[in-house]
Every structure is written in structure tokens, then in C-alpha cells.
Amino acid sequence: MVIAINTKALLPGKMEGYGYYIEEIFSRIALNHPEHQFYFLFDRPFDQRFIYAANIQPVIIKPQARFPLAWDIWYNLMLPRVLRKIKAEVFVSTDGFCSLRTKVPQCLVVHDLAFLHHPEFISKSHRNYYLKNTGKFLKKSKVIATVSEYSKQDIVEKFKIDPAKIHVTYNAPGSLFQQLSYDERELVKEKYSAGCEYFIYTGSIHPRKNPINLLKAFSRFKKRQQSSMKLVFAGRLAWKTDEFTKLLSSFRFRNDVILTGYLEKNELAKLVASAYALVYPSFLEGFGVPPLEALQCGVPAIVSNNSAMPEVGGDAYLYIDPENPDDIAEKLMLIYKDETLRSRLIENGKRRVQLFNWDESAKKMWGCIELAASAE
């Protein structure tokens, strides 16, 4: 079988959620199925390290598809030509977009419908493109894969899609995220936080991730506890961050807030494993990988009580109302003061994280590919 994969999110030095998902899932699938031919489709020069197996052939399709007009050209004009040329029998699109101009069966991966729930956090042109086309993409695809039961039900309710067409392939924590020894943690703290304990947020920084309320909550925590605790933001400044940077510039506890910028995964894993707790106050997540990675490191996670996060975390997370900085601050203080609670969350986390692994998710995705390829 000839299988084409949309791998545009495999970006060296810029790898984030979609990119890691592609890497974990499709490296396994290609290695586990050497009898099949895989084409990885990029929109710019690629890094050879993303060609994980001998049965993967990279193809660059122009133009770089990063805005609506380019998306339309890439998916509906250039992509169909390439699929015909390579005689693709199925196309897997990993970013929620698919081609409306090809007869090749398509498996569409949709992580969430954030553009419907929080349209204020994206540009008008992007929002309009999603509103105009997402329903068409979902109907055009033979099979839909998503990352949680929450996202599955959201797709069913918002777009009236048959639930039988949608398959849940959970995310999982990366293997680099592991517990560190006491001495290793101390070295990391010396490097990043002057030897002090710290709360950590990981991921790109933009309004949907709620960095403003996290800063406000940390301010309340510092005023009440007067500890040396730091707050680390480990991720790049993405979009619509003017309000965040403006608040941070005049923030009373600015010297206790650390911005690392983008970090490669091996360094990020050490930083997470050395934290006192991870804080993830996102307004919406289709899954939410960073808190699960913290659990695998033996670090408790404070997360929002919305969308897919209770489904993923169960009794292993400490939940917050992301709209309420006072509630976030209360939970920061609670985990800071209550060692029994912190220890219980860590133990619960060790059990919870066992429910998610990339090998199982790759098997389920392979099932989705086979279904799409055989669909009439």
C-alpha cells in the first residue's frame, strides 16, 4: 500500500504538539510496516532525522502552507497532483485540514475544535477559513481520528458526524520524560532558577493557554507565601502575546518569573522533572500532553477542570478553574503547603500514566489507515 502523510509540522527547532504527535505515531507505523511505502509530505526543506525508516520517501510540496490562501493552494491544487503521481492509496492529514479536490481516500486527524470555543484567540482570516471548511473536511474524509472522547463528542455535536466514523487515538507522554535523581534535579535548578524550587508551565505561550491568569495567580501566591518559589514558562512566545509581555514588564515579581524560550525535548524533560509542580491553566485542550509528561516524571500537575483534561487525568491531577486567578492561586498554595496531598497526587500519577502509550496509539492509527484505504 502507498500511504501519504501530511508531515508539515515536523519542523526542526520548532517541534510542538502536532509535530511530536506525527513523530511518535508515524515513526512507529513506518517501522512496524516495512512492507508498505510511506511518503512524508513537507512544505519546506526537511531535516533528514525525520525520515525514520527506509520505506519513507520525503516529498516537498510548495508553497509553504501557513495561511489561508496558501492552504487552499497546497491542499486543493498541488497536493492532488502529487497524490496522483505517487499513486497514493490513502492520504493521512494530521492538522485538521484535508483536500477537497482528490479522490484518494483520506484519514483526517482532528485534535480539537478550539476555533469554535475560543474564536477570540485566533486571527479573523484563520477563524473564517476554519468556519467555512471544517465541516467540509469532516464530511469528505473517510475516517476521522481524534485524541480524546471529549473531542470525539465535540465533533459529533458541532458537526453532526456519525460517531462510528470517529476513532479515538490517545496521545501519550514522551519517553524522555522520566524521574531524575536528587542530584540531577539540583543541577537543573542551579541552571534555571538559582537553586530555587519552581512551578513550571510548558508549551507555546498564547492566549488559549491562559498565561495572564497564571501570572495573576502567581502574584497572589507570592504575596501570601513570601517564598523563594519561581515560575518558569518553558516555551516560545507564539501569537497575541502583547498583553502578556506588557504585564510581565511591570510585574512586581518579575525577577521570580523565568522565560526559557523554546527548548529541545531532552532539555525540557529535565526541566519538568526538576519542578515542584506543573501548572497548566489552558482554556481548552483536546488532550493536554504536558501534564501527563509531568506525571511520568513524578511531578504533580495542576490543570484546568475543562475539556479533555479530567478524562485524561482522573484522580491524578489537582483541578483549577482557569477563569479564576484566585482559585489557581489557592491550588498553588495548597500543593505548596500540603505534602500529603502532593505525595498522593504523585502516586496516583504513576498509575494514571500507565493508561497511555504511543505503541497502542500507533496501532489504533494503523487501524484508521486501513479503514480509510478500504472505504468505498
Side-chain angles (χ1 to χ4, degrees):
M1 184 161 52
V2 178
I3 303 159
I5 314 289
N6 169 6
T7 55
K8 291 192 283 89
L10 293 178
L11 298 170
K14 298 180 181 178
M15 286 277 281
E16 292 177 336
Y18 284 14
Y20 288 129
Y21 179 88
I22 295 167
E23 180 169 67
E24 297 284 4
I25 292 285
F26 294 101
S27 64
R28 284 170 168 80
I29 287 177
L31 289 166
N32 291 339
H33 297 279
E35 71 278 17
H36 297 293
Q37 178 66 54
F38 295 85
Y39 285 85
F40 277 19
L41 309 182
F42 299 89
D43 69 344
R44 62 187 66 195
F46 59 90
D47 192 312
Q48 193 63 35
R49 70 186 174 95
F50 297 133
I51 311 307
Y52 307 104
N55 56 335
I56 295 173
Q57 177 69 40
V59 176
I60 298 173
I61 304 176
K62 296 181 179 180
Q64 290 189 10
R66 304 293 154 173
F67 55 89
L69 178 59
W71 291 334
D72 207 32
I73 295 170
W74 200 91
Y75 287 95
N76 294 322
L77 181 61
M78 306 306 293
L79 173 64
R81 296 176 184 176
V82 171
L83 296 179
R84 286 195 299 270
K85 183 178 180 179
I86 66 176
K87 296 181 173 56
E89 294 166 77
V90 64
F91 171 58
V92 184
S93 191
T94 53
D95 60 5
F97 299 166
C98 73
S99 176
L100 301 175
R101 300 288 183 84
T102 182
K103 294 181 180 179
V104 175
Q106 297 178 79
C107 173
L108 180 66
V109 181
V110 179
H111 292 261
D112 59 55
L113 300 178
F115 72 94
L116 286 180
H117 296 277
H118 293 283
E120 71 275 16
F121 295 153
I122 58 175
S123 70
K124 184 178 179 181
S125 63
H126 285 54
R127 180 170 67 248
N128 288 343
Y129 185 88
Y130 296 145
L131 290 171
K132 178 182 177 182
N133 292 292
T134 299
K136 298 176 186 177
F137 296 153
L138 293 167
K139 289 179 173 60
K140 174 74 172 177
S141 303
K142 297 296 185 181
V143 174
I144 300 164
T146 191
V147 293
S148 63
E149 290 293 338
Y150 163 80
S151 284
K152 176 176 179 175
Q153 292 306 312
D154 209 21
I155 294 167
V156 170
E157 292 170 9
K158 299 297 190 302
F159 290 97
K160 312 305 177 188
I161 301 297
D162 181 357
K165 185 178 179 178
I166 308 172
H167 303 264
V168 175
T169 61
Y170 282 119
N171 283 303
S175 59
L176 289 174
F177 289 83
Q178 300 292 336
Q179 288 186 257
L180 297 180
S181 68
Y182 173 83
D183 288 341
E184 288 172 320
R185 295 196 305 272
E186 290 302 302
L187 286 174
V188 173
K189 284 188 280 189
E190 286 294 335
K191 180 177 180 180
Y192 285 99
S193 63
C196 298
E197 296 282 4
Y198 57 87
F199 298 117
I200 188 169
Y201 162 83
T202 70
S204 57
I205 300 169
H206 56 82
R208 183 162 64 89
K209 301 300 185 178
N210 200 15
I212 298 294
N213 280 348
L214 179 51
L215 275 182
K216 292 177 180 177
F218 185 62
S219 176
R220 289 161 171 75
F221 169 87
K222 293 290 286 188
K223 288 174 183 175
R224 291 181 61 177
Q225 296 301 321
Q226 308 214 343
S227 77
S228 61
M229 185 73 72
K230 310 289 186 184
L231 173 61
V232 174
F233 286 91
R236 68 184 177 95
L237 290 171
W239 59 87
K240 292 193 173 185
T241 57
D242 288 350
E243 185 182 359
F244 172 76
T245 54
K246 183 178 179 181
L247 175 60
L248 190 56
S249 67
S250 59
F251 192 59
R252 176 179 171 183
F253 301 101
R254 176 65 185 89
N255 291 335
D256 293 313
V257 179
I258 299 157
L259 303 183
T260 69
Y262 178 83
L263 295 174
E264 291 292 345
K265 205 167 189 179
N266 58 342
E267 188 67 12
L268 179 64
K270 295 176 186 177
L271 195 59
V272 170
S274 304
Y276 190 81
L278 179 136
V279 192
Y280 205 70
S282 178
F283 287 120
L284 183 140
E285 292 294 324
F287 183 90
V289 174
L292 205 62
E293 291 174 333
L295 299 191
Q296 188 161 275
C297 292
V299 172
I302 303 171
V303 309
S304 299
N305 58 5
N306 60 30
S307 52
M309 287 182 277
E311 174 187 340
V312 174
D315 65 354
Y317 292 159
L318 182 61
Y319 293 98
I320 53 173
D321 175 1
E323 303 277 358
N324 187 348
D326 287 330
D327 185 53
I328 302 172
E330 287 292 336
K331 298 303 166 48
L332 294 178
M333 288 184 277
L334 180 60
I335 206 163
Y336 178 72
K337 294 186 292 186
D338 192 337
E339 278 295 332
T340 300
L341 169 65
R342 186 170 182 272
S343 297
R344 184 170 74 248
L345 290 172
I346 290 171
E347 289 305 311
N348 291 350
K350 291 177 182 177
R351 292 191 296 272
R352 190 71 184 179
V353 79
Q354 299 303 315
L355 300 177
F356 305 93
N357 72 82
W358 285 117
D359 289 335
E360 185 63 28
S361 295
K363 289 177 185 177
K364 291 181 179 179
M365 177 57 72
W366 178 248
C368 292
I369 291 171
E370 291 186 311
L371 279 174
S374 63
E376 296 182 359

